[in-house]
Amino acid sequence: MKSETLRLGLPWTPLDQAWVAFLQDRMPSPDPLHAHLAALVSHQMGRGHACLDLLALWQDPLTLLGWSKLVWPLLGLPPSADNPWPQAALSLPWVQGPGSPMVLTMDAAGVPRRLYLRRAWAAEQAILKSIADRLLAPRPEPQNLADMLHVLFPPSGDEVDWQKTACALAAREGMTLITGGPGTGKTTTVVRLLALLQREASVLGQAPLRIHLAAPTGKAASRLSQSIQNALASLPAGYEQGIPVQAVTLHQLLQYMPDAPLRAFEPLATDLVVVDEASMIDLELMARLMGMVPVSARLVLLGDKDQLASVEAGAVWSQLCSGADQFSYSAQTLEWLQQRTRQDFTPWVRSAKPDAGALAQQTVMLRRSRRFQAHSDIGQWALAVNAGDSAAAQGLWQNCIQLPITPESARAGWTTWLAHLAPMRQPGAVCTDALALSLMQAFAEFQVLCALRHGPWGVEAINQQLSRALGFTQATTQHQEAWFVGRPVMLTRNDYQLKLMNGDVGQCLPTAQGLRVAFADGQGGVRWVLPSRLEEVETVWAMTVHKSQGSEYEHVLMVLPDRPSPVLTRELLYTGITRAKNKLSWWLPSQSVLYQAVQQQVWRSGGLSDALK
């Protein structure tokens, strides 16, 4: 690459440079700003953005790009220059024509605002079109809806029952978004929705609805299956018929491979699709989901808008749920809700947003957590972090029982598991299915979560420290770690032959045939796998907060590094904190890192929020 094409001294990746070289080879441009715009689009996609925001690039480039410093002369710009990016974007040769490799969009005033790779722009447009089609498709309201809601959600006081509200809205339209924190009853709400719709089909003499349940990872799918199974017991008599309990991963449901966006697909044969942990769905996977679920079918998405966004590009869920914490229902929607749910929404009317868009009429935020109350320690941490209130976080830290945390002291979290495992480490031991399930459950009571993967406070280093502290040797060969009794492992890639998904956690245990790795099969049984067949796994005494999404543990130990990092954000802290059900501990080499992370928020560029207003 010629230095005059893309200036040196900035953190371009090989992919950024290759992208610019590809464009210049096919349609050369002498303007250095063109090359830098193309590189910046690639750079932002690599950081999880759907596009390059040209306004933010001028107003707050350091935050947007995640660079430690930005020296305008390195881009060939004088410090006092006017914003050159819109004009440079207009003259870009690579946005001209219907098949251009990039797409430029304008704001309401006709000023260039966002620059996309065409693939990302096409995915965003597909999502918007699908939402519009679903909200416009006529759909008959279930008969006696108010009466059935009354049976499924008996009145329990004067407060608004947001689960009942969500169920009512989901029954009237083809697409519904249900957001809320852990323990707010998202799965319970969906089970009652499925019960209501299946009951309606039965009363009308129709065939039972074809229902599909899915989640982004195998771990999240297993949790969804278990949650639905548990919720069935609370249904009124006669309402449990026809409700499936087995969820699959989104990749399984959509037959999604790395080249999926380039291949044609057939619509799913379904009447209703429920997807949990929607915050983990990236831009292209969401477009695929929207494309494969027929407009005639209902689509219900569940997730926590305050959690971490997807690993890949896009912050689809947070953008779709933008403003969900406000009361965004129109007068027409409000009147309909009051009639069908028989609830008084008057206290919420004062904060209503009458100009909210059509999707907001089908979005509900569940506000009451049954896992932990707002006044509980975990609840207070979650509230302080979500609000970006570092002063409150400091107060909570001062009120904590502050004990020194070391790898050796972390051993106490696995006391029960270690006691149950001890007989299995003796010569000749043989593990049964029941004992394997018990060991996996005991191990999952406690989890160490790290913010980083690399470095002295990252997963790799902490895993090695914990292994030694727990009394396990981590002897390694040149290529992989040795297998030993008790080794906990996590898959890092889907394995369709073994029917194991990225994020599935198993445990190495002795059997009559030798060492095998036990995985829960999601149906109360165990799947045993030869260690040699598991190539894409890693030891998981500790895992990253990203990998913990879709899971919950009795006790979580959060490990933060000793210095600030761009990945340390309130969304990451909130996600890690809310994995804990009953106990939260901190391993902090520097308290100031925690307080700074509380104030740092994830921001990903994209056009979904603006387009849906």
Side-chain angles (χ1 to χ4, degrees):
M1 164 123 351
K2 297 179 180 179
S3 61
E4 63 265 28
T5 300
L6 194 62
R7 289 181 181 253
L8 304 178
L10 293 172
W12 307 121
T13 67
L15 183 59
D16 301 337
Q17 298 176 40
W19 172 242
V20 175
F22 169 81
L23 295 173
Q24 292 282 25
D25 182 61
R26 281 154 179 76
M27 190 179 294
S29 169
D31 189 339
L33 290 186
H34 289 169
H36 286 103
L37 279 173
L40 287 168
V41 173
S42 173
H43 176 81
Q44 291 301 86
M45 280 290 289
R47 298 183 61 244
H49 294 259
C51 61
L52 173 65
D53 189 313
L54 298 174
L55 179 61
L57 179 61
W58 187 249
Q59 292 181 339
D60 191 3
L62 294 182
T63 300
L64 179 73
L65 302 176
W67 292 351
S68 59
K69 62 179 180 179
L70 184 72
V71 183
W72 288 118
L74 285 175
L75 292 176
L77 299 174
S80 60
D82 293 331
N83 185 356
W85 301 117
Q87 192 61 39
L90 279 174
S91 60
L92 264 177
W94 309 309
V95 299
Q96 311 301 325
S100 60
M102 294 192 292
V103 176
L104 178 65
T105 64
M106 313 291 180
D107 63 17
V111 177
R113 176 63 189 276
R114 297 183 177 93
L115 187 60
Y116 293 81
L117 296 181
R118 178 166 288 277
R119 183 166 164 174
W121 175 83
E124 205 172 82
Q125 294 303 302
I127 292 170
L128 292 170
K129 183 179 186 305
S130 178
I131 291 173
D133 290 346
R134 293 175 193 284
L135 296 179
L136 289 174
R139 197 170 305 276
E141 180 182 312
Q143 298 179 8
N144 303 315
L145 176 58
D147 292 337
M148 283 196 288
L149 287 171
H150 186 76
V151 172
L152 290 165
F153 299 91
S156 58
D158 296 332
E159 292 187 3
V160 170
D161 186 336
W162 296 106
Q163 293 184 20
K164 185 176 187 179
T165 303
C167 188
L169 289 174
R172 77 168 186 169
E173 294 287 358
M175 180 174 181
T176 307
L177 313 182
I178 302 176
T179 185
T184 52
K186 296 184 289 292
T187 307
T188 301
T189 303
V190 163
V191 168
R192 279 161 171 70
L193 170 67
L194 303 184
L196 186 154
L197 295 176
Q198 288 289 35
R199 179 77 167 214
E200 167 78 358
S202 176
V203 169
L204 296 177
Q206 300 172 350
L209 298 177
R210 298 166 296 174
I211 299 172
H212 291 81
L213 310 172
T217 66
K219 185 162 46 178
S222 178
R223 267 200 63 211
L224 177 60
S225 298
Q226 188 60 54
S227 297
I228 289 179
Q229 182 71 55
N230 295 339
L232 288 178
S234 64
L235 288 174
Y239 275 85
E240 70 282 355
Q241 300 299 317
I243 299 179
V245 297
Q246 188 61 47
V248 298
T249 67
L250 263 182
H251 287 73
Q252 290 172 308
L253 179 68
L254 305 179
Q255 301 176 17
Y256 193 86
M257 300 298 180
D259 65 340
L262 306 178
R263 293 187 286 109
F265 52 80
E266 293 292 328
L268 293 170
T270 187
D271 298 306
L272 195 160
V273 174
V274 176
V275 183
D276 197 11
E277 298 292 347
S279 63
M280 300 170 68
I281 305 176
D282 62 65
L283 190 66
E284 292 191 347
L285 187 58
M286 184 66 82
R288 173 85 169 189
L289 172 65
M290 296 277 191
M292 288 189 66
V293 177
V295 174
S296 59
R298 282 184 169 86
L299 176 60
V300 179
L301 302 179
L302 315 173
D304 187 342
K305 69 179 183 63
D306 297 316
Q307 279 193 25
L308 282 167
S310 59
V311 175
E312 302 298 329
V316 182
W317 185 242
S318 63
Q319 290 181 20
L320 293 184
C321 294
S322 177
D325 51 343
Q326 303 173 24
F327 193 77
S328 303
Y329 302 127
S330 65
Q332 183 180 6
T333 299
L334 182 59
E335 181 181 2
W336 184 90
L337 277 173
Q338 292 186 149
Q339 292 175 354
R340 300 306 186 273
T341 66
R342 300 169 183 169
Q343 298 184 117
D344 182 12
F345 291 89
T346 302
W348 293 88
V349 173
R350 289 188 295 273
S351 60
K353 282 184 60 181
D355 58 341
L359 185 60
Q361 311 309 305
Q362 287 300 120
T363 302
V364 183
M365 180 172 177
L366 306 182
R367 302 165 188 269
R368 180 186 173 193
S369 176
R370 291 162 176 80
R371 181 185 299 179
F372 42 75
Q373 302 300 318
H375 61 268
S376 69
D377 289 343
I378 298 174
Q380 289 185 62
W381 272 108
L383 287 172
V385 167
N386 247 348
D389 191 341
S390 59
Q394 291 183 47
L396 289 168
W397 174 258
Q398 295 302 322
N399 292 329
C400 286
I401 300 175
Q402 298 181 22
L403 300 175
I405 300 292
T406 65
E408 289 70 25
S409 63
R411 177 188 176 97
W414 282 300
T415 299
T416 300
W417 173 72
L418 289 168
H420 291 170
L421 182 69
M424 293 296 98
R425 301 179 71 184
Q426 301 302 313
V430 174
C431 189
T432 64
D433 285 12
L435 181 55
L437 286 172
S438 176
L439 283 166
M440 286 188 282
Q441 182 177 356
F443 182 82
E445 293 292 296
F446 174 68
Q447 185 60 59
V448 179
L449 300 181
C450 298
L452 307 179
R453 170 164 292 279
H454 306 294
W457 296 96
V459 162
E460 294 172 352
I462 297 297
N463 262 324
Q464 293 176 2
Q465 295 180 48
L466 289 173
S467 186
R468 291 191 293 268
L470 292 168
F472 295 93
T473 59
Q474 278 202 313
T476 61
T477 66
Q478 182 178 358
H479 302 289
Q480 63 181 24
E481 295 180 27
W483 289 96
F484 53 85
V485 173
R487 180 188 175 190
V489 295
M490 173 187 285
L491 262 75
T492 58
R493 190 173 68 181
N494 294 339
D495 190 323
Y496 295 99
Q497 287 187 335
L498 295 177
K499 298 181 179 179
L500 295 172
M501 297 294 119
N502 184 5
D504 284 352
V505 174
Q507 203 167 129
C508 185
L509 297 167
T511 71
Q513 292 76 37
L515 289 180
R516 296 291 187 272
V517 183
F519 291 91
D521 64 6
Q523 299 177 332
V526 176
R527 180 180 295 119
W528 295 94
V529 181
L530 270 169
S532 60
R533 297 193 65 187
L534 297 171
E535 298 181 355
E536 302 293 335
V537 294
E538 59 186 23
T539 302
V540 69
W541 306 112
M543 68 175 70
T544 62
V545 174
H546 274 93
K547 287 290 188 180
S548 74
Q549 287 181 270
S551 300
E552 61 181 20
Y553 312 96
E554 290 295 321
H555 180 190
V556 163
L557 171 60
M558 281 280 290
V559 182
L560 299 188
D562 58 351
R563 62 195 64 189
S565 166
V567 305
L568 289 175
T569 64
R570 68 179 68 166
E571 288 85 357
L572 182 137
L573 293 179
Y574 171 81
T575 301
I577 288 167
T578 55
R579 298 312 90 201
K581 293 172 63 178
N582 292 312
K583 186 176 180 181
L584 171 69
S585 301
W586 294 95
W587 190 353
L588 297 181
S590 170
Q591 296 172 33
S592 63
V593 171
L594 168 63
Y595 307 144
Q596 183 170 332
V598 170
Q599 296 179 317
Q600 186 164 299
Q601 191 168 16
V602 170
W603 175 50
R604 286 188 174 182
S605 303
L608 290 174
S609 296
D610 288 350
L612 290 168
K613 288 181 180 177

